[in-house]
Amino acid sequence: MPPETTDHFEAIWRRKLAAGGPVGYRPGENRRVDKALRLLRQGERMLDVGCGAGSLATQAHERFREVHGVDLSPTAVALARASGVQARVLDLSREPLPHPDGFFDAVTALGVLPYVWDLDGLLGECVRVLRAGGQMLVGVPNMRALWRLWSVAARGRFPRTSQDPVGYDGGSMHYFCRRDLAALLERHHLIMVAAHGVFCIPRRLEAFPDEGVGGWVKREFFSAELVVDARKLPA
């Protein structure tokens, strides 16, 4: 990731602090984190890739003896550490994860994949540090949402998935529908257990289950983001 992009993400975190807004976890405010917390299984150690200020990782302490995190922003990492997360500054586009093979029972990567140059490199590292049978949760924007299809088909405009003011579309470099993400995970020996839709429009659909035909329609066409629950296949 270019240095100017790194600096810009750091500046975003500094602006959040300067604005005085909340940076920790607040139930109902970040629905991808809410969903991930409902899906996370218990274990010894967890790694949150792109941990930010630790919204997910701090809440996971109830289920894991050790909670680790990595993030690009030193400001975000300092906030996560202050909340008890064993966090480190790491450029996921340039550096390998500083952990042993099979070290974690769970790895999470929410809202990270669109911003990393080498997806195969990152997922390869996530799988390396995850034990066989371990859980991986991945969250990405859903490009199949009806309003995004409408933007392309009727307006002739590519839909934005981020409001962060860095580069085009907040610096996003990759885009996904559910099947694209499933194929990417399978290439790295991760089998999808379930896919869930979050940030639904209208919001009342959020309460509906993701199973069955109705759940499929909700997830595929009315959800702004997908949270996928996957397992690492045995070697």
Side-chain angles (χ1 to χ4, degrees), residues 140-144 176-185 192 194-196 216 219-220 226 228:
V140 296
N142 174 30
M143 296 307 294
R144 205 181 190 187
F176 304 90
C177 295
R178 181 183 56 84
R179 287 183 178 177
D180 300 311
L181 183 57
L184 178 64
L185 296 177
M192 182 185 293
H196 305 269
W216 179 85
R219 183 187 65 226
E220 297 292 316
L226 303 170
V228 166

Side-chain angles (χ1 to χ4, degrees), residues 43-100:
E44 285 292 306
R45 288 181 290 267
M46 174 195 137
L47 172 66
D48 189 12
V49 177
C51 64
S55 294
L56 172 62
T58 54
Q59 300 303 306
H61 273 298
E62 298 178 0
R63 304 180 203 184
F64 297 90
R65 182 172 57 83
E66 296 179 17
V67 179
H68 298 248
V70 293
D71 198 275
L72 182 66
S73 165
T75 296
V77 165
L79 291 168
R81 285 175 177 167
S83 298
V85 180
Q86 298 184 44
R88 308 187 191 192
V89 177
L90 191 76
D91 186 341
L92 297 169
S93 290
R94 297 171 181 266
E95 303 171 89
L97 293 171
H99 306 97

Side-chain angles (χ1 to χ4, degrees), residues 10-162:
E10 172 67 2
I12 288 173
W13 276 103
R14 290 177 179 172
R15 283 200 298 273
K16 289 181 180 179
L17 289 180
V23 294
Y25 175 69
R26 299 175 72 181
E29 187 173 81
N30 189 326
R31 283 172 269 167
R32 82 171 69 91
V33 173
D34 292 340
K35 176 61 74 174
L37 287 172
R38 288 194 290 271
L39 295 172
L40 266 177
R41 302 186 301 173
Q42 289 186 329
E44 285 292 306
R45 288 181 290 267
M46 174 195 137
L47 172 66
D48 189 12
V49 177
C51 64
S55 294
L56 172 62
T58 54
Q59 300 303 306
H61 273 298
E62 298 178 0
R63 304 180 203 184
F64 297 90
R65 182 172 57 83
E66 296 179 17
V67 179
H68 298 248
V70 293
D71 198 275
L72 182 66
S73 165
T75 296
V77 165
L79 291 168
R81 285 175 177 167
S83 298
V85 180
Q86 298 184 44
R88 308 187 191 192
V89 177
L90 191 76
D91 186 341
L92 297 169
S93 290
R94 297 171 181 266
E95 303 171 89
L97 293 171
H99 306 97
D101 295 357
F103 191 65
F104 295 104
D105 299 291
V107 175
T108 60
L110 305 182
V112 175
L113 268 58
Y115 303 101
V116 177
W117 283 107
D118 184 2
L119 287 177
D120 288 316
L122 173 61
L123 284 172
E125 279 295 288
C126 289
V127 170
R128 179 184 65 78
V129 302
L130 183 64
R131 67 167 178 81
Q135 180 182 31
M136 182 159 185
L137 298 179
V138 180
V140 296
N142 174 30
M143 296 307 294
R144 205 181 190 187
L146 282 179
W147 59 92
R148 290 178 177 142
L149 296 177
W150 172 262
S151 184
V152 172
R155 298 180 61 238
R157 299 292 298 271
F158 193 80
R160 290 181 62 88
T161 62
S162 171

Side-chain angles (χ1 to χ4, degrees), residues 165-201:
V166 52
Y168 176 75
D169 197 13
S172 296
M173 292 176 280
H174 309 283
Y175 295 90
F176 304 90
C177 295
R178 181 183 56 84
R179 287 183 178 177
D180 300 311
L181 183 57
L184 178 64
L185 296 177
E186 286 175 10
R187 194 159 73 234
H188 290 277
H189 308 290
L190 291 162
I191 186 69
M192 182 185 293
V193 175
H196 305 269
V198 295
F199 293 107
C200 295
I201 298 177

